[in-house]
Amino acid sequence: MIYKKLTYFLIILVLFSNNAFIFAQPREKINIDNDWKFHLGHATNPEKDFQFGISRIFAKTAENYGTCIVPTFNDSAWEIVNLPHDWVITLPFDNSPNGDVKSHGYKPIGGFYPQNSIGWYRKKFTLDVKSDTTRHVVITFDGVFRNSQVWVNNFYCGTHFSGYTGFSYDITDFVHYGRENVIVVRVDASQHEGWFYEGAGIYRHVWLNLFDNLHFTENGVFVYSNLNDDFSQTTLTIQAEVENTYNKLQNATVATSIYNPEGKQISQTEEKPLQLKPNEKSLFEKKIIINQPDLWNLDLPKRYKAVSIIKSGNKIIDKVETRFGIRDIRVDKDKGLYLNGKNIKIQGVCCHQDHAGVGSALPDYLQYYRVGLLKDMGVNAYRTSHNPPTPELLEACDSLGMLVLDETRLLNSSAEYMSQLKSLVHRDRNHPSVFMWSIGNEEEVFQTKIEGEKIAASMIRMVQSLDPSRTITYAANVGNVISGVNKVIPVRGFNYNLYGIDDYRKSRPDQPILGSEMASTVTTRGIYTKDTVNCYLTDFDENYPPWASTAESWWKMAAERDWFMGGFAWTGFDYRGEPTPYSWPNINSHFGIMDMCGFPKNVYYYYQSWWTDKDVLNIAPHWNWQGKEGEKIKVWVNSNAQTVEMFLNGKSYGKKEMPRNGHLNWEIPYNAGKLKAVAYKNGRKFEKTIETTEECYQIALSPSKSILTADGKDAIVVNVSVKDKKGREVPDADQLIYFSLSGNAKIIGVGNGDPSCHQSDKCTNGNWQRSLFNGKCQLIIQSGNSDELVSLRASSVRLKPADLIIKQYKISD
């Protein structure tokens, strides 16, 4: 598990180059997510911000009096929280006329809400007095939104501007051994970075790293491969940067061993001597040939491991393990993308990083859950729009087999944004899932101007200097325009503007073309009549803003053009904010192929029909239309069968041929009963039936898995529906469901996918509850730390309750 303390025995015998060696005190990576204290501050009133701004904080080192920065400050009244933590998710909605508030999901955060926009965190920890007190100590934050300032034991460490890139501080000189240390973090979310829900707080993991003063630098080991033409052999290039922070010259050697996906050592470099002066860094590079490599691909995402070691005499000083994949990515101007010699279309989605119930503070398991839902749909690529993702997302994509277009926050070559770009590439370049970098998105002010060309050129040079193994794109929302960024970008990214793609291809036949952002179809799950009061759209592939298109339109265009690489539909999931085309009371988007909970909309089955080889047959709408007897109901069928015949209560309404990359429609007069589709595909027959249901009778619980790991971090998704007495799911149920949990675990969030629902995602007056939206809602449970059974009960007025027993086990070290 990622949270297991990454350490080795204090003294351990190892076999390396046929000699026995001992470890110095080993490198440790310790997760410190638990038991932080949290309190809101104030952006404009220092007296409500623990005297920040009026106390003398920066005049002298560690001279902080009367603020919560002081280690002895009494924080007993502060809330105890575990990370990841997003404080915005708990705030109420506010009907503000401001466009930024609207685009952030009507949450009262930002400049208009100084009382909600500053958050203070405090964390106490102790280092073992028996530890090697000469070791380097570094604290790493994977992501804090945003503009954070950090102190350790009253010593100011630094300010980090970005809410999306990770950062580290060397706190070696400030920490105590054998007594309490205090970390204090001030988070300032009074200024937005994006135009979508961003949350606020320490919403990614925090780590304490301890290692020798002669060590590999952070993200300093990079492994990439160069395969021969028939993929029978690859040359691995291994780069390792070493730093000496001792006060004297250090002599040592550096070597790397390679382990195959089964864990067997298959190769190692020779030991290369190093000699470093105090505060000197040096980059070491070696090449290794691997025969008959196991290739990372979408179906068998196998990864290797590089174990890099610094050794002095018979003592191992530092050891770093790096996971990587061996695969070949090639981009061709006429045929698009090749993975290991196989031509594939990008069947991608863009995604923001929030989920129902938890906001931006997702447990790691949710990354795997979401990527798994996308793969089931046929998605093979994920664009991290519009910012560097959490590391655990890339781990999920690496291990499940999903390509990633990894995107930096802004197109900007200033020192700040070049630093962010460098951080992104350094951190993510070992991930085999990352197949291409994106240097920005829709910079309308200058993307077609000379400034755009120069900025893009500078960013491209930066990326290529750090990673020669991947190419680069930019997401441009202009059509047949060659100037500016498009003039120098290696792969042209198209955001919408389908009308300009063919003309651009004629103008630049030498440049590969990718659909960096497509579709923007807007739908509401389970709604079949447009509702401007509640801000709902129909759940058919028929609604889209002026700049966008239907799913069917863009995918037909992509499928018919060999030179078009495919693209990324906007978006895989609904997200908070950007309630296009509505405003209040609509508080989240309609763009998702799935809703905020990951419940599929009907357009999901369009993509699944043409992006997978599964037998897909989906009928929409449901067949509960009491009061509309005799009225014609539009019936929409998504399938990859060659022909489909529709029946209502045994009567045929005709057989139709399915157009390639299309769908079928019927108009069928409503009568209660059974609506059946019979599909024929390659000589085989398969069916789908939907029925008019009776009244709601009992709650049904569907967990995403049956076992929780008792590490305090694991999670499980429980989807909730209601069935009638015959066991049929009622598609239009809307009851309020109450949840209670017993055992050493906790509910951390609820949702239902309703884009206009203002119910809390968190506990309300001591109760966990959520209404069904078109028959569904969801809760997320996080594990505790003990071996025991966890019991969930879901209940509602006049419904039979449902119980779920979840097994929870500790995993031994």
Side-chain angles (χ1 to χ4, degrees):
M1 294 298 293
I2 193 169
Y3 297 99
K4 190 181 295 182
K5 186 176 178 181
L6 301 178
T7 185
Y8 309 96
F9 296 105
L10 180 61
I11 298 178
I12 184 172
L13 290 175
V14 296
L15 189 64
F16 190 84
S17 301
N18 299 316
N19 293 305
F21 300 103
I22 60 171
F23 269 105
Q25 190 152 9
R27 174 182 286 261
E28 296 179 84
K29 183 179 181 181
I30 305 166
N31 179 264
I32 56 170
D33 282 351
N34 290 347
D35 299 323
W36 288 69
K37 292 295 192 73
F38 172 75
H39 203 289
L40 285 175
H42 203 286
T44 60
N45 187 340
E47 293 181 352
K48 295 182 179 181
D49 198 31
F50 302 98
Q51 309 303 311
F52 187 84
I54 58 175
S55 290
R56 205 166 80 163
I57 294 175
F58 299 114
K60 297 286 185 72
T61 298
E63 184 185 65
N64 303 320
Y65 305 112
T67 73
C68 61
I69 299 167
V70 178
T72 56
F73 175 83
N74 182 4
D75 59 15
S76 60
W78 288 25
E79 179 185 2
I80 299 173
V81 299
N82 292 337
L83 309 181
H85 179 245
D86 174 5
W87 82 71
V88 177
I89 195 67
T90 65
L91 298 177
F93 299 98
D94 183 60
N95 183 9
S96 168
N98 178 264
D100 274 338
V101 176
K102 170 185 173 181
S103 71
H104 283 75
Y106 289 104
K107 285 289 189 177
I109 190 78
F112 290 104
Y113 306 96
Q115 73 279 12
N116 295 330
S117 298
I118 302 293
W120 287 91
Y121 293 85
R122 288 170 55 88
K123 166 70 177 177
K124 298 174 182 178
F125 69 96
T126 303
L127 293 175
D128 190 346
V129 71
K130 296 179 182 179
S131 296
D132 181 354
T133 59
T134 67
R135 285 196 296 174
H136 230 58
V137 184
V138 171
I139 187 170
T140 298
F141 295 82
D142 285 346
V144 180
F145 196 87
R146 60 172 295 278
N147 199 26
S148 62
Q149 295 173 286
V150 177
W151 292 262
V152 172
N153 295 337
N154 224 7
F155 289 88
Y156 174 68
C157 299
T159 297
H160 190 73
F161 172 86
S162 169
Y164 297 104
T165 56
F167 55 98
S168 297
Y169 295 121
D170 183 345
I171 59 174
T172 306
D173 299 337
F174 311 147
V175 294
H176 311 306
Y177 288 82
R179 58 192 176 98
E180 190 173 81
N181 297 276
V182 180
I183 305 165
V184 179
V185 183
R186 184 179 187 267
V187 182
D188 184 349
S190 57
Q191 177 66 57
H192 304 301
E193 283 193 59
W195 55 95
F196 38 84
Y197 180 89
E198 299 179 280
I202 308 178
Y203 73 103
R204 295 179 182 171
H205 299 304
V206 181
W207 308 90
L208 199 62
N209 302 282
L210 296 90
F211 46 84
D212 195 87
N213 284 291
L214 183 64
H215 55 263
F216 295 105
T217 59
E218 184 177 24
N219 300 315
V221 178
F222 176 35
V223 184
Y224 63 95
S225 58
N226 185 13
L227 283 147
N228 64 0
D229 290 342
D230 65 359
F231 311 116
S232 64
Q233 185 182 86
T234 188
T235 300
L236 295 183
T237 300
I238 305 165
Q239 296 178 349
E241 186 178 56
V242 180
E243 180 181 27
N244 174 27
T245 55
Y246 280 106
N247 292 324
K248 60 181 181 180
L249 185 74
Q250 295 292 311
N251 292 288
T253 60
V254 179
T256 297
S257 299
I258 302 298
Y259 293 79
N260 68 13
E262 288 72 43
K264 179 182 178 181
Q265 182 178 328
I266 57 172
S267 185
Q268 68 180 51
T269 68
E270 62 186 26
E271 295 180 17
K272 188 166 186 176
L274 65 87
Q275 186 178 76
L276 293 181
K277 299 174 184 177
N279 285 332
E280 184 181 3
K281 295 180 183 179
S282 185
L283 183 68
F284 298 86
E285 181 173 298
K286 292 294 292 184
K287 294 185 185 295
I288 291 179
I289 293 177
I290 305 294
N291 293 312
Q292 303 301 326
D294 289 318
L295 302 184
W296 184 95
N297 60 52
L298 301 176
D299 299 317
L300 292 171
K302 295 185 177 182
R303 285 190 288 173
Y304 286 71
K305 180 172 66 176
V307 179
S308 301
I309 290 176
I310 302 172
K311 182 165 62 72
S312 178
N314 69 339
K315 184 182 290 185
I316 293 176
I317 303 299
D318 196 16
K319 177 179 176 180
V320 170
E321 297 185 358
T322 305
R323 300 291 298 275
F324 68 96
I326 297 175
R327 85 287 184 274
D328 180 74
I329 295 287
R330 183 164 61 88
V331 174
D332 183 86
K333 63 183 178 62
D334 297 317
K335 295 294 184 180
L337 183 71
Y338 287 83
L339 174 61
N340 302 330
K342 180 181 179 181
N343 186 221
I344 61 172
K345 279 282 190 191
I346 293 295
Q347 299 169 177
V349 292
C350 306
C351 290
H352 284 309
Q353 60 179 4
D354 61 312
H355 189 90
V358 293
S360 295
L362 276 67
D364 294 351
Y365 171 73
L366 266 183
Q367 306 293 350
Y368 291 82
Y369 179 74
R370 286 161 61 93
V371 172
L373 293 176
L374 293 171
K375 281 190 69 76
D376 286 346
M377 187 180 91
V379 174
N380 62 18
Y382 185 115
R383 177 184 171 209
T384 67
S385 47
H386 304 288
N387 49 262
T390 186
E392 289 71 34
L393 170 70
L394 298 183
E395 282 294 323
C397 292
D398 283 350
S399 62
L400 296 178
M402 177 77 72
L403 295 172
V404 175
L405 177 58
D406 206 350
E407 186 161 283
T408 195
R409 180 63 205 88
L410 284 179
L411 184 77
N412 191 322
S413 57
S414 69
E416 169 61 38
Y417 289 101
M418 290 294 263
S419 174
Q420 292 185 26
L421 177 61
K422 182 178 181 180
S423 172
L424 170 71
V425 177
H426 256 142
R427 188 196 68 174
D428 296 349
R429 59 188 177 171
N430 284 308
H431 288 282
S433 58
V434 176
F435 80 105
M436 191 180 297
W437 305 107
S438 171
I439 60 171
N441 173 76
E442 295 185 359
E443 297 285 358
E444 290 97 339
V445 174
F446 62 87
Q447 63 185 352
T448 62
K449 300 178 182 178
I450 187 62
E451 294 92 340
E453 178 184 339
K454 292 192 292 184
I455 290 169
S458 294
M459 297 179 79
I460 290 166
R461 287 196 305 272
M462 163 77 83
V463 173
Q464 290 174 339
S465 71
L466 298 172
D467 177 19
S469 69
R470 295 174 178 88
T471 191
I472 303 157
T473 190
Y474 165 78
N477 59 335
V478 293
N480 184 20
V481 178
I482 298 174
S483 60
V485 178
N486 292 338
K487 185 176 179 181
V488 295
I489 199 73
V491 176
R492 168 66 206 274
F494 263 85
N495 282 16
Y496 315 107
N497 294 292
L498 300 182
Y499 59 85
I501 287 180
D502 288 332
D503 289 340
Y504 189 89
R505 167 69 177 175
K506 292 176 184 177
S507 302
R508 287 291 305 270
D510 60 319
Q511 190 179 41
I513 296 177
L514 169 69
S516 44
E517 192 169 312
M518 298 280 106
S520 274
T521 312
V522 283
T523 60
T524 309
R525 178 181 59 79
I527 296 293
Y528 297 100
T529 302
K530 188 174 181 180
D531 181 348
T532 58
V533 175
N534 292 301
C535 303
Y536 298 148
L537 295 144
T538 56
D539 195 5
F540 294 123
D541 184 20
E542 60 185 7
N543 306 295
Y544 55 91
W547 68 83
S549 71
T550 62
E552 193 168 316
S553 295
W554 89 265
W555 183 246
K556 279 185 175 179
M557 181 277 299
E560 293 166 356
R561 291 159 173 78
D562 289 343
W563 49 264
F564 191 69
M565 206 178 302
F568 296 84
W570 188 266
T571 51
F573 302 87
D574 280 342
Y575 54 93
R576 291 169 179 78
E578 286 200 295
T580 309
Y582 298 117
S583 55
W584 185 269
N586 190 184
I587 45 87
N588 69 249
S589 79
H590 297 265
F591 292 119
I593 298 167
M594 289 175 274
D595 68 16
M596 287 282 301
C597 297
F599 295 130
K601 304 178 187 179
N602 286 314
V603 71
Y604 176 102
Y605 300 101
Y606 170 77
Y607 287 112
Q608 190 180 56
S609 295
W610 305 114
W611 285 4
T612 75
D613 294 326
K614 300 175 182 179
D615 289 340
V616 180
L617 183 57
N618 182 69
I619 307 170
H622 58 72
W623 210 240
N624 284 7
W625 298 105
Q626 291 83 347
K628 292 192 174 185
E629 284 74 11
E631 293 185 27
K632 287 186 177 180
I633 304 293
K634 178 170 65 174
V635 175
W636 192 300
V637 172
N638 286 119
S639 179
N640 49 14
Q642 279 96 22
T643 59
V644 179
E645 186 173 8
M646 288 299 303
F647 296 85
L648 175 60
N649 298 328
K651 177 183 177 180
S652 175
Y653 282 82
K655 180 187 288 188
K656 297 184 180 182
E657 291 188 5
M658 177 67 69
R660 183 68 183 169
N661 297 310
H663 73 281
L664 292 173
N665 281 334
W666 281 263
E667 296 241 334
I668 298 178
Y670 176 71
N671 280 295
K674 295 182 179 181
L675 185 66
K676 181 169 73 172
V678 179
Y680 299 88
K681 179 182 178 183
N682 300 327
R684 294 181 295 106
K685 172 179 152 182
F686 54 100
E687 301 178 356
K688 175 71 177 290
T689 300
I690 60 174
E691 299 183 35
T692 307
T693 61
E694 298 172 358
E695 65 180 17
C696 298
Y697 174 68
Q698 61 184 0
I699 299 171
L701 300 176
S702 177
S704 59
K705 57 183 181 179
S706 59
I707 296 175
L708 276 170
T709 301
D711 60 359
K713 305 291 183 180
D714 195 17
I716 185 170
V717 175
V718 181
N719 292 327
V720 184
S721 59
V722 170
K723 296 183 177 181
D724 66 10
K725 282 190 175 182
K726 295 182 178 179
R728 300 172 298 191
E729 190 171 299
V730 180
D732 51 355
D734 61 359
Q735 286 87 348
L736 182 64
I737 310 294
Y738 300 92
F739 304 104
S740 60
L741 190 71
S742 62
N744 183 227
K746 60 184 179 182
I747 301 172
I748 60 172
V750 292
N752 62 11
D754 182 349
S756 298
C757 181
H758 294 189
Q759 296 171 9
S760 175
D761 286 17
K762 298 297 184 180
C763 190
T764 304
N765 298 321
N767 298 312
W768 283 100
Q769 59 190 44
R770 192 67 166 199
S771 61
L772 299 164
F773 177 63
N774 289 320
K776 297 182 184 296
C777 69
Q778 181 181 91
L779 72 153
I780 302 165
I781 297 172
Q782 192 164 53
S783 68
N785 293 288
S786 60
D787 285 350
E788 62 179 89
L789 297 178
V790 175
S791 178
L792 171 69
R793 166 157 282 212
S795 60
S796 185
V797 177
R798 292 188 295 278
L799 290 181
K800 184 178 179 180
D803 295 293
L804 176 68
I805 302 297
I806 303 165
K807 298 175 183 178
Q808 182 170 271
Y809 296 119
K810 274 187 173 296
I811 295 179
S812 58
D813 294 339

